[in-house]
Amino acid sequence: MEPNLPTGSLIFVDTNAAYDELALKDVIVYKNEAKDFTIVHRVINITEEGIETKGDANKTSDGISTTEGNLIGRVICFIPRLGSAIMFLRKPECLIIIIVCILSTLLSLVVPRKEKEAVIEAEI
């Protein structure tokens, strides 16, 4: 959906959006059952057979790709790049980095305190 909806955006989807209320230019999310993945594309035509969609950067339409049965919802807003950050944070190696940072911060708060207490005791 580049450039209007940048890759890696966090999207918010109204999953209660009524199929009958979708309009031209709405951005919708639907399940591609043949390939078993989710697609986010713009409505370019509505017929009795279904909804025709197309990605903003695509030259050709997806054809009649959406019916009431495979519609997930309508995109209501998005935050650019936040989705990529969230996906990065879900990786196991990122969790290890976060734990190491937290532990080192906690350690840095504890160690100087003990050294300071030792200096105070030595002065007494």
Side-chain angles (χ1 to χ4, degrees):
M1 287 297 297
E2 293 274 359
N4 297 318
L5 201 158
T7 300
S9 296
L10 175 65
I11 61 171
F12 295 87
V13 180
D14 177 6
T15 57
N16 294 318
Y19 181 81
D20 309 8
E21 295 175 8
L22 295 175
L24 293 176
K25 298 186 181 179
D26 279 348
V27 177
I28 62 171
V29 180
Y30 66 93
K31 185 81 170 174
N32 180 322
E33 294 166 356
K35 297 181 180 176
D36 195 33
F37 59 86
T38 304
I39 298 174
V40 179
H41 276 175
R42 189 173 305 280
V43 174
I44 61 168
N45 192 18
I46 300 173
T47 69
E48 288 187 20
E49 296 172 10
I51 296 174
E52 184 178 359
T53 60
K54 180 176 96 57
D56 289 349
N58 296 351
K59 292 182 181 179
T60 60
S61 100
D62 303 329
I64 303 295
S65 56
T66 310
T67 61
E68 195 166 3
N70 70 340
L71 175 70
I72 294 172
R74 180 172 39 92
V75 174
I76 52 176
C77 67
F78 66 94
I79 302 173
R81 293 181 287 285
L82 186 57
S84 294
I86 291 170
M87 292 305 291
F88 174 75
L89 292 173
R90 293 178 67 190
K91 292 182 178 182
E93 56 269 18
C94 184
L95 181 61
I96 293 168
I97 292 169
I98 291 170
I99 289 170
V100 168
C101 289
I102 290 170
L103 289 175
S104 66
T105 302
L106 291 173
L107 202 61
S108 71
L109 294 173
V110 172
V111 171
R113 194 175 282 166
K114 287 189 176 191
E115 290 174 359
K116 193 174 187 179
E117 289 171 5
V119 169
I120 293 171
E121 286 177 14
E123 290 176 356
I124 297 177

